[in-house]
Structure formats: structure tokens, C-alpha cells
Amino acid sequence: MDNQEENQVEPSGPGVDESVGQAEEPMAPAEPDTPEAAGERRGFIKFFCAFIGTFISVVPFGAGIWAYLDPLAKREGGVGDGFIKVTTLDAIPTDGTPAKFAVVADKVDAWNRFTNVSIGAVYLRLVDGVPKALHTICPHLGCFVDYRQGKNDFFCPCHNSNFKLDGSLAKGVSPRAMDVLQIEVRNKTEVWVKFQNFQPGHSHAVSIS
Amino acid sequence: MKSLLDWIDHRTGIRSLTREALFENIPGGSRWRYVWGSTLTFTIFIQFVTGVFLWMGYSASSGDAWESVNYIQNEMTGGWLLRGIHHWTAQLMPVLLLLHLMQVVIDGAYKAPREVNYWFGVLLLLLVLALSLTGYLLPWDQKGFWATRVATNLMNLVPFVGPEMQKLVVGGTEYGHHTLTRFFALHAGVLPGLLVLLIVGHIYLFRRHGITPAEPVIKRDAYFWPDQVFKDTVACLAVMVAVLAVVISVPGAHLGSPADPSEPFSAARPDWYFLFLFQFLKLPFFAGDKEVWGAIYIPGIAVGFICLMPFIGRWKLGHVFNIGIIFVFLGGAGALTYLAKQEDVAGPNSAMYLRGVLGDTRDARRVTALAKARGIESTALSLLKDDPKTQGARLFAQHCASCHRYDGHDGLAVELASAVTLDELENRIGIMTRFFSGDAVHPDWLARKSGTQNPWQTVQSILDAETDGKFDVIASIELQEKQSAPDLKGFATEQWISDLLDPHQYISSRYFGGTTHKDGDMYKKFLNRKVSKYDAEQRNMLESIAVALSAQAKLPGQAVTDQVDAERIRKGIQYLEDDIGCIDCHAFGEPDPDADGPDLTGYGSRQWIVDFVKNPEHEKFYPDNNDRMPAFGVKKILTDKEIGLIADWLRGDYFKLPVDAQGH
Ligand code: HEM
Ligand code: FES
């Protein structure tokens, strides 16, 4: 059997063990500490171990959490005035029905920087010859809103929100109308849209930055 | 607070658990030598925490691994700290493992009834080494890439199933996406899982059998708490402080340049704790088909022996024998590690190794800066491959430097900090410096008096000559072939053209001394016959021509002076056409089929250089008097893109870091 078990001392419970204060010294003719000195020493060790133990355990977590919070420290500034050329006037249906257009721009994705990739889409439609732009993302919880040809309206397939052609809510759970994007016609035919994303779920459109 | 604890205790028994943990008996009382197990547990804890957080930023694919690690290290707030802790703790672990193993063997803690626990410990050691090995590949830099290939290629030697095993580990025949996904799953999933299981078992068994006292037991028994806890805490604190000190001073951890299967890497080495095995395989004894002995059988036997120690240790003499063997192993491994290092920094191929390290560091800096400034459209490697400063120089070294030079070297030399005195130079070639410092200079590398155009000499010959001074030093050895074509550093700059038009320089080796042009009309009929007798005014005209001709190149580095000197350039062109009459032999402004010399229109511009390199025998250049230079484009030795990279590099037309812009 285990020979250690023979010389094992019975634990006498915290605070009662009067021998440990002297554990560094050869045990033979040792002067035991006064109870107060032993208590003080033990108190110090307790404090030291708890403090240092916590500190060194927190370091790796601290480094990790610091790095994890990185996204909060980053603000990606837009380029120029934020308007992106989407298409030309001629590409938008003349009968007033909406058409979907991809928004193509440069995109930074962590370590990658892509040029000319799709970053989203917009619905464009002519109202008396003037183009109007709606975001394709549902203001409820961010699904892609469909255009329904037969009913000539917008319909979000996720929670059945229903929008009119001008984007206003017909019925459903969405807290607000579809998001309207600023639009400009430049050089007579170019259609430029100020493309931005909005926080879903609120009754007012708040830009995500 | 107390009632909350009571509540928890009632349901979990946490108090008796802690009490049991803290009031574990230690025969003979607390000792510093018992701390190693605790420090190891602590380092494993660190690795798990930092590893999981690294995981949140790491991407295991060959096109993203380096990029994501670089992002962690250089872009993420605190990423350098996180990665640094993981890296440097891993560096410390082998030391702790060794200390732990030695304590266990010396104190005889492996003896009955603790054999099983001892084996758990040996397995843990192997697991941690496996974690280090798999982790080494994850950053996908040159170092990890090439060193890990060596390790997986060794699997080939395993009898019967070697090649299949290798294929499975690598995820195919080539290193790629699946090598990383597989290594990462091992590194962050399988091995840590096993590690946890074994640690639980290890600590359970340790508690079951208690600590083995170090003989002789002269002190009284004591509980784990408080003295051993105190010692363990101090030791863990020391570990954390040591790691943090290194991490903060680096800062973080080194990241080499991205893995490139097409670029040699003369500094491919495993991490330091595997160097002894690496060196072991170099022993001539393991040449040819005996390699399997060095790579597999002997290490296997050694591990097997370590596992058998508990049985051998039953006899008193056996225990002494075990301790002896451990020290023999240790001495052997230490000696091999030293030899490996010593061969790298002072052996016959050390100039190559050290230059490999420096070149990798330079490329790593470059690609990190490019990634920061431009972003990475496809991969970081392609940033380097499309970078004239990096790739142009490599192509020059490979295709041009057999005849040409670039500032006296092949274009790839790494500039080192100048040595201010001869003494400093002497110190920097010292073995100690070479072992430990990035400032080290190899005696075979080249140096010259600072600020001169003198030919480079080997550092050794400078030291032998004993003339004191300040010296420029480059990491490059003397090239085999003698220079036999112009030195193209500063090609088409005002200075370069002005020197070219100096009769002495023209026939010196820096320009055409090594070519047939030294006997051509340019020298004989113009420079020697006329220019050498020029008066001050004519010489001044020649200078203006140099300025004007250089403006043809539209060098980015001269953009400002070209504008300031507009008037002088206008005059220079006039001299070139009329007063001095270069156009008697050269075309300028319009094609001239009768001209003997090369066309000076757009001389030194990107187009001019590209056209010239493509075909020096083109009628614009040297239709009948080309001297040896191959038509790189016509013969398809180089692609148009490659020629463009060389041209851009020569012209200094590439992305400049703020430091570059100041320095050069
Ligand atoms: C004893 C345990 C471990 C050891 C010895 C170890 C060792 C290493 C080493 C040597 C590297 C290369 C670091 C570098 O130079 O860049 C590395 C990288 C990495 N390790 Fe571990 N590791 C351990 C546990 C873990 C665990 C548990 C995880 C995740 C659950 C993890 C995740 C990672 C990740 C994501 C990387 C790549 C990032 C980087 O290279 O910086 N590691 N590890
Ligand atoms: S996301 Fe569109 S209705 Fe919910």
C-alpha cells in the first residue's frame, strides 16, 4: 500500500493547523509560532494566493477579450459622398414596376479588400419618370423582400410583412416602412444611390455604422 | 454571500471538494521542486483560453491562414498580445515539461503504485509536443510550411503504412487547404480533448496516490494549503510574468513571410525543442535507407524506455540507472541542439541560413505593410508576387545578376545596420552575437567603407586589413560570376547617366568595362576622343544632357527635380541634338534607321526598359552590336509581366513605405 498514508496527519480543519507556519524549518526542536503570528501569516498567504491567482488567470482572458472586442473599436468610413452608381435610367422599367439592381462596390472584409463586388441590392422604380430607390432588406429582421409580380407589391417571406410599391407597410409585423434610399441622376442618365444599411427592428431607420 | 455559498455547497459539495484539494497531505512539507506540475497545468490553461480566442480570428485555409494571423497580429486591437501569449507560452512548455519529468524521475515518483500515472504523464508530454508541432504550421508562413513538410515527410518512413499515413495527415499529396483544416482540427479539437482527459486522469491518480516525497524527508508533513499553494502561485506568477515580458518586448510573436512553394527557404527549421531530432537525422549513420532508424525506431525506443523506467526503478540500482539515463538523454539532446544551432550560425552553410532568416524577415515586413496599405484582394502571397520591390529583385537575381550587378550585389542583399567601427564589426561576427542577436554579421558577407562606391569586400578581408572606419554591411556573399555588364542601381538617374558619360567610368567595370562596348564607337570616337578633352563649358553641357536624358525616364524618384529643372532639361535637349550632337549616332524623338547606338527616346522609361529586355537586338537598340544579352521576351525566358516587374523595380516604381521613402 501507499506508504504515505502512514505518516498522514489528520486534517484538523482550516485555521487550526499550527504546524504549517514552521513547515520551512526542520521540524525537530521547533519553536511554534504564537497563534497570532501564524494567523497573520496565513492571512497574508490567503490574500496573496487569491490576489495573484486571480490576476494571472485573468491575463489570458483579458488578452482574449481585448481582441474579441476589436469590432467595436473599428469604424469603417464610407468613401466619398456615399453615392454609388447603380445603373442607367434606361434600365429601369418604364411601366412603373420595380426592378432589382445589385449594388457593386469595393468592400473590406477583415483582411481582404475586394474591388467591385456585390454589397447589396436596391429596388428601383420610375414614378413619373423620376427614379425612386428602396432597400431590399426588410426593416423587420433583415430578410430579403420579394417583389410579387402578380400582386404588384412587396412581400417579405420571413414573417409575411406586406409593403406597397412606395414601400409603405400594407400589413404585417414590420415596425416601419421599407427603407427609402437617397437617389440622384447624374450626367443625364446615370442612376446613383446612397447605399447604406439600417438597423432592423426599430420604428425609425437608424443607419448602421 | 455566505448563504449563497451555503446554497451552492448544499447542492454541489463544493466545500468539501475544496477542503479535500487544499488539505491534501504533503509528506515532508511543501517544496519548490513540486511546482512544475502546477505550472504546466497553468500553462495549459493559458493555451486553452488564448487558443479559443485566437480561434475566433483564425481562418484555416491556405489562402487565409497567414492573412488571418497577420490580421490578428497587426490589425486587431490586442491581437498581438493574445497571439504573443499563446506563442511564447508554447515556447516555455517544453522547458516545464522537462523539469517536471526530471523531478519525477529523480524523486522516484514513477515507482509503484504510480506507474499508470507516470505513463499518463509521458502521454501528456507527447500530446503537448504534438500540439506544438501542429500549431507551428497554422500561421502558414515559410518557416512553418517548410519545417512541417519535413515532419510529415518523415511519416513516409513508417513501415508498411507510411505513405498512406502521410496522405491522411496532409489531406492529400500536396500541402493545401485540407492540410490546414486537418491540422487545425487536431490542434484545437482532438489533441486538446485528449489532453483534458489525460489531465483529469493524471490529477485524479496523483491525488489518489499522493505526492512522492523528495528524499531525504527532513521536514514535517504539511497540507497542500497554504505553503505549497503559495509556492505554486509564485511559480505560476513567474511563468506569467516571464511570458508577458517577452510578449511585450517583441511585441507579440514573429510572423514569417507567407508560405510559398516556389521560393526556397534556407532557414527551414523546426521549433527549437525539436532541433535535437532534426540534428540527429543529419548524422551520417542515418544516411539512405537507415533514416527510419533515426526518425522512428530510435526515438520510439527512447520513449518506450522512458515508459519502462518504473519497472527498472524497482531496484535501487535501477533507479540510479534511470536517473543516469535521463541525464544522458538530456545531455545528448542538449548537445545535438547546440550543434544544430552552431551549424546554422557558424557552419559551412551558415551564410546561407542567416541570410535566409534575414530575407524572410524583410519579406514579412514588406507584405505586412502592403497588406495594411492596400488590403489583400486575393492572397498575401500574390501581393508579394506582384510587388516589383520583392519580385523584381528576385527575377533580377535569377536572370540578370550573372552579368549585371545592382549596387555590387545580385539585388537580393539585405542591408544591415552599418558598423560604426572596425571593433563593432569584429564583435558582430562573434559566435555569441550570431547565436542570439539579429544584428549578427557573417564573415563571408560583404562590406565597404560607408558612403563610398568602393567595391564590396568580404567582412573577413576588411577585418584582416584592419583599417578602421564606418562600414556598410550587406547580407550577401561574393557572387560566383564576375560582373561583366553594367551595374543597374540607379539606372537612368541623373547621377547614373552623368557617370556613364565620364570616359573613365564608362570603361570601368561599373559600366561597360566588361563588355565589347568598351571598344565601341561611343567610347573610341566620342568619350575618349572628345569628352576627355572637354573644357568646363562643354562639360557643363554634358551635365545638362544627363539631366535632360534622365528626365526621359520619368522616374518617380526624380519627379520633383524634373519639374524644377525644366529649363535645364530644355537646354540639355538642345545640346543633345545640336551642340554635342548625340543624335549623330542615336535616334531621339523620332526613329532613325541609320543610328548605331540605342534609341534615346524615352530612355530609361518603363516602356524603354521593357522593350530593351524583351529584345536588345531590336533595331532600336543594338541590332548588330549586342553583346551577349539574351532577348528575354522574344525567347520567352521571361513573361511580359515579369519583365515589367524588373523594370519597375529598377526604376524604383513601387509602393513605398514611409521609411523607404525617407531612406532611399
Ligand atoms: C498545450 C496546448 C497548446 C500548445 C502547446 C499550442 C501551441 C501552439 C503553437 C506553437 C502555435 C503557433 C503559434 C505561432 O507561432 O503563431 C499555435 C497556434 C494556434 N493555436 Fe495553439 N496550442 C495549444 C492549445 C491550443 C488550443 C486548445 C487551441 C484552441 C482551442 C489553440 C488554437 C490555436 C490557434 C487558433 C492557432 C493559430 C494562431 C496563431 O498561429 O497565432 N491552441 N498553438
Ligand atoms: S424579416 Fe421581413 S417580416 Fe420579418
Side-chain angles (χ1 to χ4, degrees):
Chain A
M1 251 305 280
D2 206 349
N3 57 346
Q4 263 69 59
E5 252 135 60
E6 288 148 32
N7 46 16
Q8 180 151 359
V9 231
E10 282 297 309
S12 34
V16 195
D17 177 26
E18 72 294 336
S19 67
V20 267
Q22 286 297 312
E24 289 295 314
E25 307 299 323
M27 71 154 278
E31 280 287 322
D33 266 343
T34 58
E36 299 89 66
E40 202 168 290
R41 184 168 180 282
R42 178 167 289 224
F44 165 73
I45 290 181
K46 204 169 182 175
F47 172 77
F48 178 87
C49 290
F51 181 75
I52 296 298
T54 313
F55 169 71
I56 59 179
S57 312
V58 159
V59 167
F61 278 106
I65 290 169
W66 189 17
Y68 184 74
L69 294 180
D70 174 68
L72 297 185
K74 292 223 158 66
R75 287 272 179 279
E76 258 124 47
V79 265
D81 56 5
F83 278 88
I84 296 169
K85 190 177 132 201
V86 174
T87 182
T88 57
L89 274 180
D90 297 327
I92 308 175
T94 45
D95 61 359
T97 56
K100 179 177 73 78
F101 292 89
V103 177
V104 173
D106 295 353
K107 173 175 166 178
V108 174
D109 182 1
W111 53 87
N112 281 129
R113 180 170 300 158
F114 301 113
T115 42
N116 295 329
V117 290
S118 298
I119 59 167
V122 290
Y123 284 117
L124 297 182
R125 146 185 106 94
L126 289 176
V127 180
D128 304 328
V130 181
K132 303 273 177 199
L134 289 174
H135 210 303
T136 52
I137 295 300
C138 179
H140 179 225
L141 287 172
C143 287
F144 199 111
V145 178
D146 272 337
Y147 167 65
R148 287 195 295 197
Q149 213 137 39
K151 306 211 163 152
N152 196 26
D153 67 353
F154 291 111
F155 177 74
C156 179
C158 283
H159 314 95
N160 304 338
S161 283
N162 211 183
F163 304 92
K164 294 190 196 135
L165 275 193
D166 65 356
S168 60
L169 185 65
K171 70 173 199 283
V173 288
S174 177
R176 62 173 191 260
M178 287 170 77
D179 294 315
V180 176
L181 295 166
Q182 287 179 52
I183 190 165
E184 275 179 17
V185 177
R186 298 184 184 174
N187 304 322
K188 296 212 164 65
T189 57
E190 296 170 9
V191 179
W192 291 66
V193 172
K194 182 165 183 174
F195 188 76
Q196 55 189 142
N197 291 309
F198 301 94
Q199 290 173 3
H202 301 302
S203 54
H204 293 286
V206 181
S207 175
I208 297 175
S209 61
Chain B
M1 183 69 189
K2 187 168 181 307
S3 59
L4 177 69
L5 281 181
D6 284 342
W7 189 90
I8 296 174
D9 185 42
H10 192 232
R11 276 143 192 92
T12 60
I14 188 106
R15 277 206 182 113
S16 64
L17 211 69
T18 355
R19 192 166 307 145
E20 225 171 89
L22 290 178
F23 293 98
E24 156 84 13
N25 181 55
I26 304 177
S30 69
R31 293 230 180 172
W32 284 108
R33 61 197 303 153
Y34 301 150
V35 301
W36 304 121
S38 300
T39 55
L40 273 170
T41 317
F42 178 57
T43 49
I44 289 170
F45 162 79
I46 298 180
Q47 293 305 74
F48 273 60
V49 174
T50 51
V52 170
F53 278 107
L54 278 172
W55 191 347
M56 299 177 192
Y58 177 74
S59 176
S61 97
S62 63
D64 283 328
W66 188 93
E67 290 75 358
S68 63
V69 174
N70 179 57
Y71 192 79
I72 295 172
Q73 169 80 34
N74 294 309
E75 305 291 336
M76 255 159 94
T77 60
W80 61 273
L81 181 64
L82 179 64
R83 174 163 182 263
I85 294 176
H86 197 75
H87 174 94
W88 290 105
T89 305
Q91 297 286 302
L92 187 63
M93 288 182 82
V95 179
L96 299 176
L97 283 169
L98 197 71
L99 289 168
H100 190 43
L101 179 70
M102 286 180 49
Q103 179 253 321
V104 165
V105 171
I106 292 173
D107 291 349
Y110 54 60
K111 289 185 206 166
R114 299 188 180 78
E115 298 95 331
V116 176
N117 203 18
Y118 174 75
W119 293 333
F120 271 45
V122 175
L123 280 178
L124 276 168
L125 180 141
L126 295 177
L127 269 180
V128 171
L129 291 181
L131 274 159
S132 300
L133 188 94
T134 46
Y136 201 55
L137 178 72
L138 297 183
W140 205 248
D141 56 1
Q142 282 280 72
K143 188 175 57 150
F145 181 79
W146 290 104
T148 312
R149 280 169 77 104
V150 174
T152 52
N153 280 333
L154 283 175
M155 302 188 99
N156 251 321
L157 301 175
V158 173
F160 308 117
V161 292
E164 285 75 20
M165 246 172 86
Q166 188 196 11
K167 234 186 220 172
L168 291 179
V169 168
V170 170
T173 47
E174 293 295 324
Y175 263 47
H177 290 318
H178 271 161
T179 319
L180 275 173
T181 50
R182 284 173 181 234
F183 267 65
F184 189 47
L186 285 177
H187 185 82
V190 179
L191 298 173
L194 288 173
L195 197 71
V196 169
L197 282 180
L198 284 173
I199 288 178
V200 170
H202 195 63
I203 294 181
Y204 165 75
L205 288 173
F206 161 70
R207 289 297 180 159
R208 187 182 153 88
H209 299 303
I211 221 166
T212 308
E215 304 287 348
V217 182
I218 40 170
K219 292 187 222 167
R220 224 166 121 170
D221 285 10
Y223 298 135
F224 193 58
W225 170 260
D227 283 359
Q228 190 61 45
V229 175
F230 177 75
K231 290 191 168 77
D232 287 355
T233 310
V234 170
C236 291
L237 176 68
V239 164
M240 193 76 256
V241 168
V243 168
L244 279 182
V246 182
V247 173
I248 290 170
S249 69
V250 170
H254 177 75
L255 175 64
S257 62
D260 182 352
S262 69
E263 263 317 299
F265 182 55
S266 51
R269 295 289 179 271
D271 232 349
W272 64 271
Y273 38 84
F274 287 126
L275 274 181
F276 73 101
L277 281 174
F278 169 82
Q279 187 70 10
F280 194 53
L281 289 181
K282 284 200 226 156
L283 295 178
F285 178 77
F286 300 120
D289 56 6
K290 292 206 204 62
E291 179 148 41
V292 63
W293 280 92
I296 294 166
Y297 296 154
I298 294 181
I301 291 169
V303 172
F305 179 84
I306 291 179
C307 288
L308 288 179
M309 279 189 180
F311 301 118
I312 303 167
R314 285 191 177 172
W315 300 284
K316 191 135 191 101
L317 223 62
H319 179 58
V320 177
F321 177 71
N322 281 342
I323 297 179
I325 286 286
I326 281 285
F327 277 101
V328 169
F329 277 163
L330 198 66
L336 284 169
T337 309
Y338 175 81
L339 281 178
K341 218 41 204 153
Q342 128 91 25
E343 208 177 308
D344 279 346
V345 300
N349 299 317
S350 53
M352 203 172 150
Y353 169 84
L354 290 171
R355 180 173 149 167
V357 173
L358 289 173
D360 186 55
T361 308
R362 172 186 58 189
D363 292 348
R365 272 209 202 113
R366 178 80 185 156
V367 68
T368 296
L370 286 171
K372 190 176 210 101
R374 304 193 155 165
I376 301 168
E377 174 106 35
S378 57
T379 62
L381 185 59
S382 66
L383 280 182
L384 270 190
K385 294 277 184 189
D386 295 341
D387 174 35
K389 185 164 195 233
T390 306
Q391 198 59 17
R394 287 177 181 165
L395 291 165
F396 181 89
Q398 183 177 353
H399 296 282
C400 319
S402 52
C403 300
H404 290 281
R405 288 293 180 276
Y406 185 86
D407 195 19
H409 56 79
D410 65 356
L412 285 179
V414 183
E415 268 179 62
L416 304 175
S418 319
V420 183
T421 59
L422 196 66
D423 276 349
E424 189 196 322
L425 200 57
E426 174 101 54
N427 287 337
R428 276 167 61 183
I429 67 163
I431 281 289
M432 288 311 259
T433 322
R434 281 198 250 164
F435 258 92
F436 297 112
S437 162
D439 265 354
V441 171
H442 195 281
D444 290 350
W445 287 349
L446 305 177
R448 70 179 172 208
K449 264 251 159 70
S450 222
T452 63
Q453 294 271 359
N454 293 351
W456 298 99
Q457 288 176 279
T458 61
V459 168
Q460 191 59 57
S461 63
I462 284 192
L463 290 174
D464 292 343
E466 287 186 5
T467 30
D468 205 357
K470 187 179 175 201
F471 298 98
D472 293 336
V473 193
I474 54 174
S476 172
I477 54 172
E478 248 161 346
L479 302 179
Q480 291 291 315
E481 290 102 340
K482 256 179 74 86
Q483 176 180 359
S484 63
D487 190 311
L488 296 177
K489 161 110 194 245
F491 176 67
T493 56
E494 288 171 15
Q495 187 64 49
W496 196 88
I497 298 176
S498 158
D499 287 350
L500 172 102
L501 294 174
D502 170 346
H504 297 293
Q505 296 246 24
Y506 188 88
I507 53 162
S508 75
S509 62
R510 187 179 159 209
Y511 289 95
F512 293 102
T515 72
T516 55
H517 297 298
K518 72 173 189 296
D519 304 318
D521 289 349
M522 172 83 175
Y523 180 69
K524 284 202 168 143
K525 296 196 180 150
F526 178 61
L527 292 171
N528 192 32
R529 194 175 298 168
K530 296 187 183 163
V531 176
S532 56
K533 303 187 183 88
Y534 272 1
D535 59 20
E537 191 193 342
Q538 284 168 308
R539 235 177 269 135
N540 202 9
M541 284 185 190
L542 212 54
E543 277 305 308
S544 298
I545 289 178
V547 174
L549 193 53
S550 180
Q552 292 283 307
K554 295 202 165 49
L555 295 171
Q558 284 182 178
V560 177
T561 44
D562 282 352
Q563 233 163 23
V564 175
D565 289 344
E567 177 56 21
R568 191 162 186 211
I569 290 168
R570 204 186 49 75
K571 285 228 183 81
I573 289 178
Q574 194 187 322
Y575 302 144
L576 181 155
E577 288 178 333
D578 303 331
D579 304 64
I580 303 282
C582 307
I583 56 166
D584 294 349
C585 298
H586 294 275
F588 187 75
E590 55 191 355
D592 177 358
D594 299 332
D596 293 330
D599 195 332
L600 296 183
T601 320
Y603 181 79
S605 63
R606 185 175 201 274
Q607 192 61 49
W608 193 97
I609 299 178
V610 168
D611 289 346
F612 186 84
V613 176
K614 272 186 182 164
N615 185 11
E617 285 169 20
H618 188 275
E619 65 170 33
K620 272 186 5 188
F621 304 112
Y622 297 110
D624 2 84
N625 51 353
N626 177 38
D627 178 13
R628 289 166 299 155
M629 175 145 164
F632 286 95
V634 175
K635 293 196 177 146
K636 304 223 180 326
I637 305 172
L638 291 169
T639 63
D640 288 1
K641 183 183 161 189
E642 288 172 322
I643 296 174
L645 285 166
I646 298 177
D648 289 339
W649 172 65
L650 284 176
R651 292 165 41 78
D653 195 357
Y654 43 71
F655 172 76
K656 301 240 176 22
L657 314 178
V659 244
D660 284 357
Q662 290 164 14
H664 305 279

